[in-house]
């Protein structure tokens, strides 16, 4: 069963798009270090509905199972990036939503 790890972030207003792009580039680098990562997609919302409620950026990581997600969560590069995301999010951890969705293939 695939696991879709969805993260939405409300970045502080003083965080530039360039800084956000750098953090998302770090996320892409993690893909090469952890087995079981199937895909990573990140960026800014372009929703025509415009109901993001301040969560204008986010990413999705698809894993080949729960074990791969667990390896990602404990990996030192993920922990470092996670700390950086929290530091740049509005309200710290309160500015981040995480949703893990099992997907039947």
């Amino acid at each position: 069963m695939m696991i879709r790890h969805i993260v939405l972030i409300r970045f502080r207003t003083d965080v530039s798009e360039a800084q956000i792009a750098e953090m998302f580039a770090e996320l892409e680098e993690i893909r090469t270090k952890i087995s079981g990562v199937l895909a990573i997609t990140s960026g800014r919302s372009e929703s025509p509905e415009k109901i993001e409620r301040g969560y204008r950026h986010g990413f999705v990581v698809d894993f080949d199972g729960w074990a791969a997600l667990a390896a990602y969560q404990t990996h030192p590069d993920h922990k470092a990036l996670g700390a950086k995301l929290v530091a740049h999010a509005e309200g710290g951890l309160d500015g981040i939503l995480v949703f893990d969705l099992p997907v039947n293939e």
Side-chain angles (χ1 to χ4, degrees), residues 50-79:
K50 303 203 182 300
I51 55 173
E52 294 95 342
R53 296 186 177 101
Y55 292 92
R56 291 192 176 87
H57 295 83
F59 60 89
V60 176
V61 184
D62 289 338
F63 295 96
D64 66 7
W66 290 109
L69 173 60
Y72 165 81
Q73 290 171 327
T74 59
H75 194 279
D77 289 353
H78 168 260
K79 288 182 177 273

Side-chain angles (χ1 to χ4, degrees), residues 4-79:
R4 183 156 288 153
H5 180 68
I6 303 163
V7 179
L8 303 177
I9 309 159
R10 273 190 333 239
F11 284 108
R12 295 187 330 258
T13 57
D14 65 320
V15 179
S16 71
E17 288 292 330
Q19 289 173 296
I20 295 167
E22 286 176 22
M23 288 183 270
F24 286 164
E26 285 182 42
L27 178 65
E28 277 294 327
E29 290 174 20
I30 291 174
R31 177 199 305 227
T32 64
K33 299 175 182 178
I34 302 172
S35 65
V37 176
L38 303 174
I40 297 176
T41 307
S42 61
R44 182 180 175 95
S45 176
E46 296 183 16
S47 173
E49 295 174 303
K50 303 203 182 300
I51 55 173
E52 294 95 342
R53 296 186 177 101
Y55 292 92
R56 291 192 176 87
H57 295 83
F59 60 89
V60 176
V61 184
D62 289 338
F63 295 96
D64 66 7
W66 290 109
L69 173 60
Y72 165 81
Q73 290 171 327
T74 59
H75 194 279
D77 289 353
H78 168 260
K79 288 182 177 273

